[in-house]
Amino acid sequence: MKTLNTIGIILLIITSLNALAAGFSMIAEPTGKDLGMTVDTILQHSPFHSFLIPGIALFSTIGIGIIITLIAFRKKWNNYNLVVLAQGAIITGWIVIQVIFLRQFNWMHAVIGSIGLYTIVWGYMLTRLRKKFYL
């Protein structure tokens, strides 16, 4: 379980840093220019007219959400296993929604989607382990 935890922590730290940086960039420059994106091409099939709302959502739900998840795991908050599981679902859901809105799939979607699925499995394993010790 220690290896599963270590891999999960490393993957979530990398994902959080990526989400914080990209989300902040989208908030600071809602046209997407700083990230080499344009509203007309990237957001043409989405309900958004700038990257501001997606940037806020990315920064908060993925970036800050992962930080809270890692704190919950480290401090062993009550039901921290469910927090890990929920964060995995949030990451995976983010990618699914992004692919639907963008109408494209690239290697970053595969990587981050895989991290989301890994986090779901990790949260499930933590839940199983907790039930084993509490029953």
Side-chain angles (χ1 to χ4, degrees):
M1 193 67 192
K2 184 175 180 173
T3 302
L4 186 70
N5 291 342
T6 302
I7 291 169
I9 290 167
I10 291 168
L11 291 175
L12 287 183
I13 288 171
I14 292 167
T15 304
S16 178
L17 292 174
N18 182 38
L20 290 170
F24 180 80
S25 181
M26 290 177 191
I27 294 166
E29 180 53 66
T31 65
K33 179 177 66 171
D34 290 348
L35 293 173
M37 302 184 300
T38 63
V39 174
D40 294 340
T41 56
I42 302 293
L43 297 179
Q44 66 183 336
H45 303 292
S46 79
F48 305 108
H49 303 291
S50 80
F51 289 101
L52 179 62
I53 301 302
I56 292 169
L58 179 62
F59 188 89
S60 60
T61 61
I62 307 295
I64 293 174
I66 288 174
I67 292 169
I68 292 168
T69 298
L70 291 172
I71 291 169
F73 174 77
R74 179 79 173 130
K75 301 239 182 220
K76 301 296 185 252
W77 289 355
N78 191 29
N79 294 323
Y80 69 91
N81 54 307
L82 298 179
V83 175
V84 171
L85 191 66
Q87 188 61 50
I90 290 167
I91 295 167
T92 304
W94 176 272
I95 294 301
V96 168
I97 291 168
Q98 192 176 62
V99 167
I100 290 168
F101 282 165
L102 299 180
R103 296 186 183 175
Q104 65 178 347
F105 185 82
N106 63 43
W107 68 270
M108 277 295 281
H109 294 123
V111 170
I112 302 300
S114 296
I115 291 171
L117 293 174
Y118 182 93
T119 306
I120 290 170
V121 171
W122 179 30
Y124 174 76
M125 296 299 289
L126 291 170
T127 300
R128 298 261 317 196
L129 186 65
R130 286 191 66 175
K131 284 183 180 179
K132 180 179 176 181
F133 287 112
Y134 288 113
L135 290 179

